[in-house]
Amino acid sequence: MQKIVESKGKKFMGWDEILDGDMPQNTSVMSWRGMKYGIEAAKRKHEVVMSPTTYAYLDYMQADVITEPKVYASLRLSKSYEFDPIPAGVDKKYIKGGQANLWTEQVYNIRQAEYMTWPRGMAIAESVWSPIEKKNWNNFFNRVEQHFKRLDAAETKYAPSVYDPIFSVSRSADKQLMIELSTEVPGLDIYYSFDNSFPDRFYPKYTEKLSPLRMPLHLK
């Protein structure tokens, strides 16, 4: 296959599984199974595009796994923002760039494609184009919120799941189920209820771990 591609004057690139074979030195690698295969390829002096599921798969869920229809795994906006296409310990001349992937076997229309792309596409773009020392999550998200206004004006769909709570479940010493809540965006308050009503700011404010099995939530 590589010979056919190169006979057309093109350069051959394959997903990182090709590292398992005997590939020529001029073969480029698309690293999708995390960063480690891209690191391995770069150390073997192959050109690499970093496209890891860890940070850049936009077909993954965007909120906590208990709040969205199941799709493989969850990838929150803040995690995408951690993406650094040039990992430590490799010669950066072999890293050609980064890429986000939106596979559409579970995306059924263009509105859903927009929803899955934004705002995580912004996080990937800044990660690829900005030096890591200039990145700042709080500064980035302040700008994302301004882009939300632009997307609203353009009637482009996007995911507001960055405002959704993050659930962490554990058991206390007496085996009681405990639920800890946190937020992806600093400064948000969480309100909860025990009666299946949707809470607003007049309900109890979350301050410590809770024990109910179910509780509708509202963030402000």
Side-chain angles (χ1 to χ4, degrees), residues 107-115 157:
V107 175
Y108 304 111
N109 56 61
I110 189 62
R111 297 293 287 173
Q112 180 68 3
E114 292 174 350
Y115 177 88
K157 195 174 184 181

Side-chain angles (χ1 to χ4, degrees), residues 65-109:
V65 295
I66 72 170
T67 66
E68 290 190 327
K70 183 69 174 177
V71 182
Y72 306 125
S74 185
L75 176 62
R76 298 189 72 99
L77 176 65
S78 56
K79 186 66 176 180
S80 287
Y81 191 67
E82 294 175 7
F83 182 38
D84 181 4
I86 305 177
V90 302
D91 190 335
K92 65 181 181 181
K93 74 179 182 181
Y94 294 111
I95 308 300
K96 308 307 292 183
Q99 175 179 293
N101 293 323
L102 176 58
W103 303 108
T104 56
E105 64 266 26
Q106 297 189 64
V107 175
Y108 304 111
N109 56 61

Side-chain angles (χ1 to χ4, degrees), residues 131-161:
I132 189 169
E133 61 272 11
K134 290 188 176 182
K135 291 175 61 179
N136 178 282
W137 164 252
N138 290 336
N139 178 279
F140 167 74
F141 187 70
N142 286 338
R143 289 180 281 118
V144 165
E145 289 192 296
Q146 297 305 308
H147 281 296
F148 283 165
K149 298 176 184 177
R150 296 183 175 96
L151 293 172
D152 286 336
E155 297 187 331
T156 298
K157 195 174 184 181
Y158 60 89
S161 47

Side-chain angles (χ1 to χ4, degrees), residues 156-205:
T156 298
K157 195 174 184 181
Y158 60 89
S161 47
V162 67
Y163 298 115
D164 291 346
I166 301 169
F167 295 81
S168 178
V169 180
S170 61
R171 289 192 181 276
S172 62
D174 60 357
K175 305 300 182 181
Q176 185 178 10
L177 185 69
M178 303 298 295
I179 300 176
E180 183 176 6
L181 304 173
S182 59
T183 61
E184 194 169 9
V185 178
L188 296 183
D189 293 329
I190 304 175
Y191 299 88
Y192 63 90
S193 72
F194 295 95
D195 57 7
N196 282 333
S197 63
F198 193 86
D200 57 20
R201 65 186 180 88
F202 295 98
Y203 284 70
K205 182 178 178 179

Side-chain angles (χ1 to χ4, degrees), residues 15-107:
W15 296 104
D16 58 43
E17 288 91 342
I18 63 175
L19 286 167
D20 298 333
D22 182 19
M23 62 183 192
Q25 191 60 53
N26 62 342
T27 303
S28 298
V29 175
M30 182 77 74
S31 182
W32 74 277
R33 294 178 297 171
M35 300 288 284
K36 64 178 182 178
Y37 294 101
I39 294 171
E40 177 186 343
K43 288 184 174 179
R44 288 163 57 175
K45 299 183 178 180
H46 293 280
E47 292 185 337
V48 178
V49 172
M50 289 292 191
S51 185
T53 57
T54 324
Y55 306 103
Y57 264 48
L58 303 188
D59 53 323
Y60 282 9
M61 296 175 290
Q62 301 181 70
D64 192 281
V65 295
I66 72 170
T67 66
E68 290 190 327
K70 183 69 174 177
V71 182
Y72 306 125
S74 185
L75 176 62
R76 298 189 72 99
L77 176 65
S78 56
K79 186 66 176 180
S80 287
Y81 191 67
E82 294 175 7
F83 182 38
D84 181 4
I86 305 177
V90 302
D91 190 335
K92 65 181 181 181
K93 74 179 182 181
Y94 294 111
I95 308 300
K96 308 307 292 183
Q99 175 179 293
N101 293 323
L102 176 58
W103 303 108
T104 56
E105 64 266 26
Q106 297 189 64
V107 175

